[in-house]
């Protein structure tokens, strides 16, 4: 499974037992997926599941945390565009994906939002860690980290799993891969870590941390995939984790987890390939030395997003959100590292109505940052948050 933190959450988990405040016109609702609080691969408990939180868009305040589903290791979640279905991985050796119906929350007859399981199916591999919906919302793609596989789960018109998936309990397609990298402890085999759509949506891309490649799959007319080679090859030991494309599709910004870098790829839409034009540190190079061991932990960049002309990179062990400016030429300039204050393991983040909301896995909290200033603001305790997604 993915590299785990050296310490465990120390904050008290929110209980979620108090009634949730009614959302106002100045608020946004968030879904939050979590890890087991004692670390991946341990028994469920201590609040593990899917949570719902209210963000005040005027102040950045976070409130109303409530657990809406108990489910094992939902380290990544995704939402159907209708807002009525939520998908959650079960990041375990026998990987699963669960589709939940979103119930309640209607303005005409208010009742607490809850998640009702529709179905759970195999993820097509071990330790699923990322989900991506196709633009037409008729296919769900799954990256399985430990097995290095990409799975294809067709959906019906309402967002549930298609009959063929329900009948077999398995994906319609599973794509494996071969290869290794120089880091023997992390690159002993392929590790699919992230799924993305190439500009134009004619290809699906997979960041493979184990082989230092971005794999490419062609989208067929029926929504299924066909293997289509390698879109980008990174220097040995890069460990590609996540990427994001510029708004115009001319550049891809890829995080190297193992070499602690951000790679800028000039993207050729005609060939669906990326060529490296810049490599620079991801930030957070000065991780705090552990008092017991006298050794600084291995710094590990995680998720990356674009917010206008700023690239944001979470950097674990250093406990910062790195900010880089995007120039008119697509190249990057480091701006600053913003300390989280709530812990040292920012696993995921999202920009919602201008506020950056960070899921701090080890600190056991969500943290917000003010628009423009990127100064830490509200800290809301939650058990091992691993993913934050805005409610549709």
């Amino acid at each position: 499974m993915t590299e785990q933190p050296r310490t465990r959450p120390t904050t008290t988990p929110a209980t979620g037992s108090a009634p949730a405040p009614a959302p106002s016109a100045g608020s946004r609702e968030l879904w939050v997926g979590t890890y087991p609080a004692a670390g991946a691969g341990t028994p469920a408990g201590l609040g593990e599941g899917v949570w719902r939180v209210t963000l005040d868009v005027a102040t950045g305040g976070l409130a109303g945390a409530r657990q809406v589903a108990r489910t094992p290791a939902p380290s990544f979640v995704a939402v159907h565009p209708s807002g009525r279905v939520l998908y959650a991985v079960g990041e375990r050796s026998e990987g699963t994906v669960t589709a939940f119906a979103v119930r309640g929350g209607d303005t005409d007859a208010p009742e607490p939002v809850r998640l009702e399981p529709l179905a759970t199916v195999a993820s097509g591999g071990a330790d699923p860690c990322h989900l991506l919906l196709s633009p037409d919302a008729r296919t769900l793609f799954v990256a399985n980290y430990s097995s290095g596989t990409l799975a294809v789960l067709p959906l019906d018109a309402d967002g549930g799993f298609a009959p063929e998936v329900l009948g077999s309990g398995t994906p319609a397609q599973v794509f494996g891969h071969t290869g290794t990298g120089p880091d023997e402890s992390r690159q002993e085999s392929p590790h699919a870590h992230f799924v993305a759509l190439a500009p134009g949506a004619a290809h699906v891309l997979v960041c493979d941390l184990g082989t230092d490649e971005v794999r490419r799959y062609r989208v067929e007319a029926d929504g299924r995939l066909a293997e289509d080679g390698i879109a980008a090859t990174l220097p040995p030991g890069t460990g590609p984790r996540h990427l994001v494309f510029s708004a115009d599709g001319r550049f891809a910004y890829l995080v190297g987890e193992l070499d602690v870098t951000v790679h800028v790829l000039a993207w050729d839409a005609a060939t669906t390939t990326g060529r490296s034009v810049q490599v620079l540190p991801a930030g957070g190079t000065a991780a705090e030395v552990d008092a017991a061991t006298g050794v600084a932990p291995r710094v590990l960049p995680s998720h990356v997003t674009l917010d206008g002309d700023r690239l944001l990179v979470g950097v674990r062990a250093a406990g910062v959100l790195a900010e880089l400016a995007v120039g008119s030429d697509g190249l990057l300039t480091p701006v600053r590292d913003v300390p989280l204050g709530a812990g040292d393991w920012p696993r995921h983040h999202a920009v919602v109505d201008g506020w950056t909301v960070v899921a701090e896995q080890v600190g056991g909290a969500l943290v917000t940052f003010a628009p423009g200033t990127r100064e830490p603001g509200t800290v809301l305790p939650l058990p091992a948050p691993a993913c934050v997604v805005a409610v549709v």
Side-chain angles (χ1 to χ4, degrees), residues 31 52 79-87 100-106 113-116 118 158-159 392:
W31 297 112
R52 183 132 161 161
V79 187
H80 190 268
S82 69
R84 306 311 299 173
V85 182
L86 178 136
Y87 311 96
F100 293 92
V102 181
R103 307 295 191 198
D106 297 325
V113 172
R114 64 188 188 280
L115 295 179
E116 294 182 357
L118 293 172
D158 296 323
V392 176

Side-chain angles (χ1 to χ4, degrees), residues 308-371:
D309 62 354
R310 291 292 186 268
L311 191 78
L312 306 176
V313 181
V315 187
R316 295 165 295 166
V320 302
L321 190 70
E323 181 180 349
L324 303 96
V326 182
S328 58
D329 58 359
L331 301 183
L332 300 175
T333 302
V335 176
R336 58 178 154 179
D337 290 348
V338 180
L340 286 173
D344 67 353
W345 210 259
R347 184 169 194 90
H348 189 258
H349 62 268
V351 179
V352 182
D353 284 16
W355 294 94
T356 304
V357 186
V358 182
E360 218 304 319
Q361 180 187 339
V362 169
L366 292 185
V367 185
T368 61
F369 290 80

Side-chain angles (χ1 to χ4, degrees), residues 91-270:
E91 189 172 337
R92 300 181 294 177
S93 57
E94 295 182 359
T96 59
V97 179
T98 299
F100 293 92
V102 181
R103 307 295 191 198
D106 297 325
T107 55
D108 294 337
E111 61 175 303
V113 172
R114 64 188 188 280
L115 295 179
E116 294 182 357
L118 293 172
T120 297
V121 300
S123 69
D127 301 305
C129 61
H130 189 250
L131 299 170
L132 175 72
L133 269 169
S134 63
D136 63 3
R138 296 302 298 266
T139 310
L140 186 67
F141 303 110
V142 189
N144 293 283
Y145 178 82
S146 292
S147 58
T149 52
L150 168 68
V152 180
L153 292 169
L155 306 174
D156 64 25
D158 296 323
F161 296 127
E164 63 182 295
V165 175
L166 293 175
S168 66
T170 61
Q173 293 178 290
V174 177
F175 295 93
H177 196 58
T178 59
T180 60
D183 188 329
E184 295 181 359
S185 65
R186 297 294 310 281
Q187 295 185 305
E188 78 294 348
S189 66
H191 291 306
H193 214 311
F194 186 80
V195 191
L197 281 172
H203 289 84
V204 167
L205 307 174
V206 173
C207 290
D208 193 322
L209 183 145
T211 66
D212 295 318
E213 296 167 323
V214 178
R215 293 147 52 180
R216 182 176 59 217
Y217 300 86
R218 185 176 63 257
V219 180
E220 302 288 272
D222 61 359
R224 301 204 180 198
L225 301 181
E227 294 185 8
D228 197 22
I230 302 299
T233 300
L234 287 303
T238 295
R241 181 182 175 95
H242 287 196
L243 65 79
V244 64
F245 282 95
S246 60
D248 60 10
R250 296 173 53 229
F251 296 93
Y253 302 99
L254 181 146
V255 169
E257 176 173 329
L258 302 183
D259 67 357
V260 196
T261 58
V262 177
H263 296 250
V264 181
L265 306 179
W267 197 258
D268 186 334

